[in-house]
Amino acid sequence: VLAQASRVYDPDSPHIGTTKNNLGLLLLEDGDLAAAEPLLRDALASDRTHRSEQFDDLAYPLHNLGYLLLVQGNLGEAETLLREGLSIAETNTHRMLGPILTALADLRCGIEADAEARAFALRAVETTREASGNDAWRAAQARLTATWCVARSGEPVDRAVARKDLDELRAKWTAASPFVKRAQTQFAALPR
């Protein structure tokens, strides 16, 4: 796909950047983080070159690269990108608002389940509550992340509900997907 797009568009075209973002996301979803990262970095660089700072769809590459860096453990850069994406998504009521909030909740709760982390988690659940169809897994991801965050702060949680959310993610993605891997890690950390 990228080779075909490169024959039609200038290599520096924003269309190539969008194609790289989409391919990078597919690789991320499949768990091929090493192959996804350069494509996602190129996509973000392309959007930064060709779009305004408040271009609403900048939320996509910011989330995608931010999430990849989160699962790789590069928390500082991940947080910077996700917070930038949050600002854009909030300003434009963008559909990536819920996923960005979920990623920020995951990141912040992993560091410390403080008030800000919990606020991200609760907002993520509320924002994704209406997700349906192919996006229903996003609501399950937000709920499981919120449950994990609450548990990290020492409050009791319902593992049975969390198990259903984990199962929904497993039904959507393969075991190699970082979405499933993060969910399994969060679920395993819940008190019994």
Side-chain angles (χ1 to χ4, degrees), residues 108-120:
R108 296 301 312 158
C109 287
I111 296 169
E112 180 181 359
D114 61 8
E116 180 188 43
R118 291 184 60 155
F120 283 141

Side-chain angles (χ1 to χ4, degrees), residues 110-175:
I111 296 169
E112 180 181 359
D114 61 8
E116 180 188 43
R118 291 184 60 155
F120 283 141
L122 295 175
R123 281 185 64 205
V125 169
E126 184 60 34
T127 303
T128 60
R129 185 179 312 278
E130 302 301 318
S132 61
N134 288 336
D135 285 339
W137 70 274
R138 294 248 189 229
Q141 182 187 39
R143 287 189 305 267
L144 182 55
T145 298
T147 300
W148 172 69
C149 193
V150 167
R152 286 198 30 87
S153 67
E155 294 181 34
V157 295
D158 187 339
R159 279 181 65 88
V161 172
R163 167 62 80 179
K164 289 179 185 176
D165 289 330
L166 174 59
D167 290 344
E168 186 161 345
L169 285 155
R170 285 178 172 159
K172 171 69 178 174
W173 302 109
T174 68

Side-chain angles (χ1 to χ4, degrees), residues 69-106:
L69 295 170
L70 165 65
V71 299
Q72 287 179 327
N74 185 345
L75 303 184
E77 188 178 2
E79 186 168 4
T80 298
L81 294 173
L82 291 167
R83 285 187 183 271
E84 181 182 353
L86 177 63
S87 174
I88 291 168
E90 287 176 326
T91 299
N92 296 289
T93 317
H94 197 278
R95 71 181 297 268
M96 290 305 291
L97 179 59
I100 291 169
L101 287 166
T102 301
L104 278 167
D106 186 351

